[in-house]
Amino acid sequence: VQFSRSGFMHLAPETRNTIYGMVFDSPLPFFIVASDGVTPGFRLRERSTQSQYEALQSLQALGVVNREMRRETRTFFYAVKHFLILPYGYEYLSIFVSWLAAIGSECRAVLRNVCFAGYMWYQGSAALTQQFHDLLRSCTRLRILTVQIHVWHLCEGRVADVDSFLNFEGPEPHDGSMPEVDISTWADTSVQLPGLRTFRLDIV
């Protein structure tokens, strides 16, 4: 698709959005993984569809036309697409934070559907957890949010107690009570997202 720098931005916004919808057409979720290299980055996973690769190529090409088109195409893309963030061999919390920071504040503000798949290991970091919540709270138009986290993530102050419970050795049944988990921060985050319709918190 080729755009005239002089004429395209004079089209009605509805017309431009219709064209963007055709350019970025891909009904499947965009599976995002971290890319290797000196500079941290993100890419599509290997089994993505050809239409998804073409959509990202178009997004990058349109982004170099001018600042106005870069802003408009990126915010449209992140507003209408569904993203699934995969840690793929990395500690999941740092990947979640890095991706949210990488897309920028304008794209976070229009993001509507995202899943953070935290099935890899968790390395405790209260500061990083708070940063994750702060970035999520800036996704003010979020409609559907799915987060998969380790149970230890909800017990950052009681990791030793949880570890002792999960590795119990003794007569069955296990009569001790599991240490309490703290979901108050997640509750606070969810209420600060006024458009949120579906929030799923999976413990893995």
Side-chain angles (χ1 to χ4, degrees), residues 9-204:
M9 297 306 292
H10 292 294
L11 296 174
E14 296 81 4
T15 302
R16 297 200 302 271
N17 285 344
T18 298
I19 295 173
Y20 294 147
M22 296 172 62
V23 172
F24 301 139
D25 184 34
S26 179
L28 298 174
F30 281 72
F31 291 83
I32 307 298
V33 299
S35 58
D36 298 326
V38 177
T39 303
F42 294 89
R43 59 177 174 81
L44 289 174
R45 72 171 184 180
E46 291 79 1
R47 297 188 301 277
S48 297
T49 65
Q50 183 62 33
S51 64
Q52 289 180 324
Y53 284 110
E54 292 173 352
L56 284 188
Q57 290 171 357
S58 297
L59 184 66
Q60 293 171 351
L62 292 170
V64 301
V65 174
N66 56 48
R67 291 183 179 180
E68 184 180 4
M69 185 171 288
R70 172 181 169 81
R71 176 183 179 278
E72 185 170 85
T73 54
R74 281 173 54 82
T75 52
F76 178 89
F77 180 76
Y78 283 97
V80 301
K81 294 305 176 184
H82 173 197
F83 301 91
L84 201 156
I85 315 305
L86 303 171
Y88 267 25
Y90 295 88
E91 190 278 329
Y92 69 79
L93 188 56
S94 60
I95 296 300
F96 296 170
V97 169
S98 296
W99 183 78
L100 284 170
I103 67 174
S105 59
E106 288 186 332
C107 294
R108 289 197 304 273
V110 298
L111 191 65
R112 295 187 182 182
N113 191 343
V114 62
C115 171
F116 296 94
Y119 56 83
M120 298 302 292
W121 69 86
Y122 163 67
Q123 182 176 351
S125 172
L128 204 57
T129 296
Q130 185 58 54
Q131 189 177 356
F132 183 38
H133 282 283
D134 290 341
L135 288 167
L136 281 177
R137 291 168 184 175
S138 68
C139 303
T140 52
R141 295 187 183 178
L142 204 56
R143 297 292 183 270
I144 302 174
L145 172 62
T146 302
V147 182
Q148 298 174 356
I149 57 177
H150 198 284
V151 63
W152 285 334
H153 196 157
L154 298 177
C155 308
E156 287 184 314
R158 306 186 63 183
V159 173
D161 293 338
V162 176
D163 189 50
S164 177
F165 176 85
L166 296 177
N167 294 287
F168 172 77
E169 294 183 2
E172 298 294 341
H174 191 330
D175 293 328
S177 59
M178 182 175 178
E180 294 182 357
V181 297
D182 182 8
I183 62 170
S184 60
T185 306
W186 285 105
D188 290 341
T189 294
S190 65
V191 299
Q192 292 188 45
L193 300 173
L196 193 62
R197 298 176 182 174
T198 302
F199 175 40
R200 177 172 172 173
L201 183 63
D202 292 337
I203 309 302
V204 297

